[in-house]
Amino acid sequence: MDKVLEINGLTRTYKSGHGSLTVLDSVSFELMRGDTVSIVGPSGSGKTTLLGLAAGLDAPSSGHVKLCGYDMGSLSEDERARVRNKHVGFVFQSFRLIPTLTALENVTVPAELQGRKDAEKEARFLLEEVGLGDRTDHYPAQLSGGEQQRVAMARAFINKPDILFADEPTGNLDTDTGENIVKLLFQLNETAGTTLVLVTHNLELAAKTARIIRLKRGKLVPEQNEAVAHA
Amino acid sequence: MLKWLFTFAWRDSRGSRAKLFLFVTSMVLGVAALVSINSFGDNLRRAIDFESKTLLGADLSMESGEPFPATIEAIIDSLGGIQSRRTSFSSMAYFPKSNTARLATVRGQEPGFPFYGKIESDPPEAADTYLFEKGALIDGTLMAQYDIEIGDSVRIGNATYTVSGKLIQTPRETAAIMLFSPRIYVPLADVDTTLLSIGSRAEYEIYFRLDDIEDPDAIVESLSDTLEAHSIRADTVEEERSNWDQSLTNLYRFLGLVGYMSLLLGSLGVASSIHVYIRQRIQTIAVLRVYGASSHQAFAIYLIQALGMGLVGAFLGSAIGIGLQSMLPVILGDFLPVDVEFSVSWSAVLIGSAMGIGVTLIFAMMPLLDIRNIPPLAALRTDFDQENDRAKNKRAKWLLFGLMALLVTVIAVIQAPTLTMGLGYSATVAVVFALLAGTAKLVMRFLAAKPPSGVSFVIKQGLANLHRPQNQTLMMVLALGFGTFLVSTMIISESTLLGQIDLASTEGKPNLVFYDVQPAQVDSLVKLVEESDLPVIDRVAMISMRLTSVKGISIESMREDTTSELSWAHRREYRSTYRDYLTESETVLEGTFEGRYSGTGLIPLSVEREVAKQLEITIGDSLVFNIQGVDVAGYISSIREVNWRQMQSNFFFVFPEGSINDAPAFHVVMSRTETPEASAMIQAMVVKRYPNISSIDISVVLTVFQAIFSRISFVVRFMALFSIITGLLVLSGAVMISRFQRIEESVLLKTLGASRRTVLQIMTTEYFVLGVASSFTGVLLSLAAGWGVSRFVFEANFIIPFGPILLLIASVIGVTIVVGQLNSRGVYDKEALDVLRKET
């Protein structure tokens, strides 16, 4: 299974007032195992919509998404959830940790949803990996922004995903913390051999991925030869 | 996976448990009310079963309005066993020490009765000794009222008795019954028999203790024809038990319905809180969905939390209910014939808890259904489109709504004394809820569509709070409005009922009635009254009679004919009069009122409308009455409508002047006194001179009615209080849940320069309008209900007690503001920076 993500003629239209608004228009591309790609573009260009559709969080108006071999359009909401649980990791701009759970508990959630017995052991290992071995029992409110994002990364990797979607992972962090997080992200990604899809405004960050997909008004801008720079 | 769902539900509740507990409190009182009332009901039933023999005090009793005829005496002889007789009648009791007199029910008692249980008296031995020392046992209230002490004397008729003790409890009589007419027990052998002369109303009773092998019910069954022919009522332990059981079951079930209301209100409160709680959990749910939780799993997590709330509520409610149960005998004591021992009825606890959990879960389902609409996309975007999915849920919501209505109706039917009452109750609740909800929606829509212009910033903000997102206006109006509705309906019913008998103050109308006046005493009584400077407003002759035939068919043959049914109008003893005029309270509906009788032919009679309906007679139909053994035949010449509320001597049958003037009669003389002292003085004077004459002071009757009604309304208000407190708990919950939003608003206003005073005023405006909308709607609905009660239950004029209602409205508004402010305290004191930081 070399193709991890196949996007074909993806279109998303929203009803707006009396008319309709096309946010994403006939987007197609493919990603292979281990690829790193950034999706860049100005605000409102359809980056987050593309991410949502590619990860099976939303259903397209037309077009197809094939994620890890599954045709997401033919699956029910709950079947898509199972695919995500098994194959997909997420990192959000605003971390999206569950405030009522400790760092350790937040990390275990995806594994526990699979019914894995080693969820806690694996979570502790990952928290050690991200440098938070001594903060396992802390709640999100007791952690700094950078620490919260590290917990979120540990959570994203606990089910050893085939593909990781990161939505502006440094958007809520200061420059230094952001840089550390990016380093960690690429490090974890490389170790796990995960395909990485990064949505960002930050061209410097985008430049760290092997490939850049540009969006403008919902359409794909033809790819140019980017200076490839791995982190 | 199930274990994980429970674990996650528990973990997710961290930090919100205090909040969840507060939501739960709104249903705790409902469960408490149901558990306490049903548990008390179970104990009551057990007590009645256990003490069933003491309810009657004997194995069998017979009662007659006349001395037992020879046939019956022969039967009594043949029945054997141990017998004890009693004769009861109304008479004036005169207390020489204070020179006062009061109408009482006198029971002339033979030794022996009660065979089971005992008469409770103070001192206890007085219950036996009074029978052998020409003593009297007097109702405690009467003793207190007239300052009577043991050893004082009381005169009834021409017999004087020494007060042996205070009467506390006797078989067949509750404190409430005794309020109507205080009881005095004297030895039967010492009763002044002249008081039992013709025309006086007396009850002749005999009580039997039979051998164990005898079956009282079988005896009554075998004698039923003979007993009925002589208008004798027989009663057995089983019948007495089942009568009490039925009426007391109705009483506590009715109270249970009021308690059930609190549970419904509380559950609505829980549902509304969960709705807001789920909105606050959207991000958590979205993240779970992103990481692979199915919509069912997400739904199950919060259903488990709701179940937990239901369990906590049921447990707490049961505990409080068990505590409250010990209070119920104190509150209901006056209505109970037996002492109820306190013990926990686990079946009541189980049923109350199950109702609490069931109703909570089903009401929580409605907001929980929204969880299925929260897409994983919400983790990326906060402005996700939920509208499309809402439509998907519509069918599920309607289904759930139907299920809720069904559950509410089924529980009401189980709880209500009758099916009709249960259905009627559900329908009334539905209508009241619908109208309250309609009002709330209307207020919100009106305020949103037409925000008031030209008013101050404070008022504008306060009103805007009522229709902003996450407002609790609907719940508030429902909860507070319903509580107000219950209390207000009670106040209106009370005033309507009391208004009907509040005639003592009506100018020129009689308020003092002398009756049982013998023909020879009429003139001298009138003279005595007039010499005391009191007016004689009316004097009427009363003749006792029974119907022997209607339209040529004898009552006897009708009784034997199983196809015809005898109504109360066929069986009763009538007291009729003769006169040649109609009174103010009478209107002829049909025919002509004949005031004089020529002396030949059938006597023209005037009949009251309702009796005519019962007897199925109309103008021209013939009737035969038996007056002291003499048959008197007549025909219907007119049908009258009688206003029974008029303080007048009103009659079912009026004979013309010259028809029955010579029949044995007793007379009624009516007067009017302006002060209680004057009334007491003339009554004492009359009873001293004519011991057989009884008198009723209408103001005393009024006081008695007030006392009875105040006890009933106390019980109902006690139950209504549950609804009001539930309403306030729902209010507290609603204010608490929107606290963060309020803090944010307060901080923003503060940043923009608003003072503490301004923030407080905005909140006060909001609570004031909530209080006004709830209380006014509740009161308006109660006016409709009160009108219905007065028109169809009391058949009386509808009276609105403006004072108490205005006070109720003011109280509801005041309490709403106070509770709202108490729960919002500290909102202004939050530092702006803390709040803004939390937002990021």
Side-chain angles (χ1 to χ4, degrees), chain A residues 14 48-49 51-52 57-58 77-78 81-82 84-85 88-90 92 96 98-102 105 108-110 112-113 139 152 155-156 167, chain B residues 1 4 7-8 11-16 281 283-284 287-297 375-382 385 388:
Chain A
Y14 290 101
T48 306
T49 305
L51 180 85
L57 301 180
D58 195 11
E77 178 76 54
D78 284 347
R82 273 197 290 277
R84 282 197 300 273
N85 179 257
V88 183
F90 288 92
F92 302 100
R96 294 284 187 244
I98 296 172
T100 52
L101 306 187
T102 62
E105 288 165 351
T108 57
V109 168
E112 283 176 329
L113 276 166
Y139 288 95
R155 178 176 66 182
D167 181 24
Chain B
M1 185 46 64
W4 181 77
T7 312
F8 191 88
R11 287 175 183 166
D12 181 71
S13 67
R14 281 178 196 146
S16 306
R281 285 287 190 275
Q283 283 307 319
T284 299
V287 169
L288 281 175
R289 304 278 285 119
V290 163
Y291 275 104
S294 68
S295 55
H296 293 105
Q297 285 170 330
L377 196 62
L380 286 178
R381 303 177 170 280
T382 46
D385 176 28
N388 290 336

